[in-house]
Amino acid sequence: EVAQASTLSDLFVYQCDEVVIVAKWFQKRHGEGLLIIFDGWDELSVELRRHSLASTIIRKGQLDKCSVIVTSRSYASSSLLDLDSINRHVAVMGFKVQEIENV
């Protein structure tokens, strides 16, 4: 769904009449107070990682005051590391078998 989104209201999972109103309200405020979570950045094609509504929002081309969390496998996250709009990068490492068995 993210790949085909062309408006903020397209990104809402739950669609109802109020979504359009809420989306317009956030757009007027440039996204202030809005948190968007893009889960699975690595699942988008390389082209969509460059040219999509999601990438525009991440690059602060739209909704420049919103907060964005992007999850991705490491091989695809490298495209995000060079962006000036990214202010924090967190790598989550897996557990070793011994660490799991000790819990």
Side-chain angles (χ1 to χ4, degrees):
E1 293 179 30
V2 170
Q4 288 82 30
S6 60
T7 67
L8 177 60
S9 59
D10 292 341
L11 293 175
F12 282 74
V13 174
Y14 178 74
Q15 292 290 322
C16 64
D17 294 335
E18 290 82 9
V19 166
V20 176
I21 296 167
V22 170
K24 286 180 181 178
W25 185 80
F26 275 119
Q27 286 173 323
K28 287 180 185 175
R29 297 175 49 137
H30 301 276
E32 184 179 354
L34 177 64
L35 170 63
I36 298 176
I37 301 172
F38 291 117
D39 183 32
W41 183 250
D42 54 291
E43 295 173 19
L44 292 178
S45 68
V46 173
E47 181 64 23
L48 287 172
R49 284 185 232 149
R50 291 186 189 131
H51 306 288
S52 65
L53 178 60
S55 67
T56 301
I57 291 171
I58 292 167
R59 288 176 173 79
K60 301 294 186 185
Q62 285 188 33
L63 304 172
D64 59 321
K65 293 183 180 179
C66 77
S67 298
V68 179
I69 295 174
V70 181
T71 67
S72 178
R73 290 181 175 85
S74 58
Y75 69 85
S77 66
S78 61
S79 64
L80 297 168
L81 297 177
D82 297 331
L83 299 177
D84 293 335
S85 59
I86 303 293
N87 61 10
R88 185 164 294 136
H89 176 257
V90 177
V92 178
M93 308 304 287
F95 293 102
K96 296 177 185 172
V97 176
Q98 298 92 347
E99 293 171 327
I100 295 171
E101 291 174 351
N102 290 335
V103 173

